[in-house]
Amino acid sequence: MSQNIILNNQEIEHKITRIAYQIYETFVDEEVIVIAGIAKNGFVFAEKIATALEKISTLKVSLCEVFIDKQNPTSPITTSLTKEEYQNKGLVLVDDVLNSGTTLVYGVRHFLDVPLTKFKTAVLVDRNHKKYPVKADFKGISLSTSLLEHVQVTFEDNKSVAYLS
């Protein structure tokens, strides 16, 4: 199966920086912001956003890893931070690819149990194939693809790439 590169490493780095600035503009009045990445690639993307945010802002950034069973998203969701650690703070839920919206909508639902000052979502690639009414507040790129195509993101030092297969 052929691979078409959507974003190369440099483009991904630019998207991360731009998203970090957008998050900073939105959360400029917060002291602490929680960047919650959905386990595996979403968390790696969240780490990169957090690093960029720390370079450009005075915000205190807390990283949180969100564990969602993508095959059974209704099963209990766990996080690396306790609810008390993100309560009454600004939070950004991060994933690498927004496909059907299932993972993101269940992730959003989990965080709605706790009062937050602001709640936003961020993705690197938004595929426009949603079956749930969820949107990414911050996105690297929007992509109209066929349902048969698959978007894959790999994060490696200086070799990150997003491709369509």
Side-chain angles (χ1 to χ4, degrees):
M1 198 177 264
S2 67
Q3 296 177 352
N4 297 322
I5 293 178
I6 303 163
L7 297 169
N8 64 31
N9 186 72
Q10 184 179 15
E11 291 167 329
I12 290 173
E13 292 302 317
H14 286 287
K15 303 291 185 195
I16 290 166
T17 302
R18 184 172 51 76
I19 289 170
Y21 274 106
Q22 290 174 324
I23 290 170
Y24 183 38
E25 286 175 7
T26 304
F27 291 89
V28 71
D29 53 343
E30 301 285 330
E31 288 181 31
V32 179
I33 180 173
V34 177
I35 306 294
I38 295 173
K40 300 289 186 232
N41 266 4
F43 184 67
V44 174
F45 188 42
E47 288 176 311
K48 291 179 177 293
I49 290 171
T51 300
L53 257 173
E54 288 170 337
K55 286 180 187 172
I56 64 167
S57 77
T58 57
L59 291 172
K60 182 182 181 311
V61 179
S62 291
L63 264 172
C64 175
E65 191 164 9
V66 182
F67 301 96
I68 298 176
D69 180 349
K70 292 185 180 190
Q71 274 61 53
N72 184 16
T74 58
S75 61
I77 294 170
T78 59
T79 59
S80 62
L81 295 179
T82 64
K83 289 183 178 187
E84 291 75 27
E85 290 176 290
Y86 55 79
Q87 183 173 316
N88 296 315
K89 292 183 174 70
L91 188 137
V92 181
L93 182 61
V94 179
D95 205 359
D96 60 340
V97 179
L98 174 54
N99 189 12
S100 69
T102 304
T103 305
L104 204 60
V105 83
Y106 280 98
V108 165
R109 193 179 97 189
H110 171 78
F111 286 103
L112 291 178
D113 291 339
V114 175
L116 300 169
T117 57
K118 271 187 196 147
F119 188 11
K120 300 290 183 184
T121 56
V123 297
L124 180 60
V125 181
D126 182 353
R127 282 201 53 205
N128 303 323
H129 286 298
K130 295 172 207 60
K131 66 180 186 183
Y132 292 100
V134 65
K135 72 176 183 74
D137 297 296
F138 312 111
K139 57 188 157 216
I141 189 172
S142 285
L143 202 60
S144 292
T145 60
S146 78
L147 289 170
L148 300 175
E149 293 172 307
H150 184 72
V151 174
Q152 186 76 32
V153 179
T154 57
F155 290 109
E156 295 177 31
D157 291 338
N158 301 317
K159 288 188 279 187
S160 297
V161 67
Y163 59 89
L164 189 65
S165 56

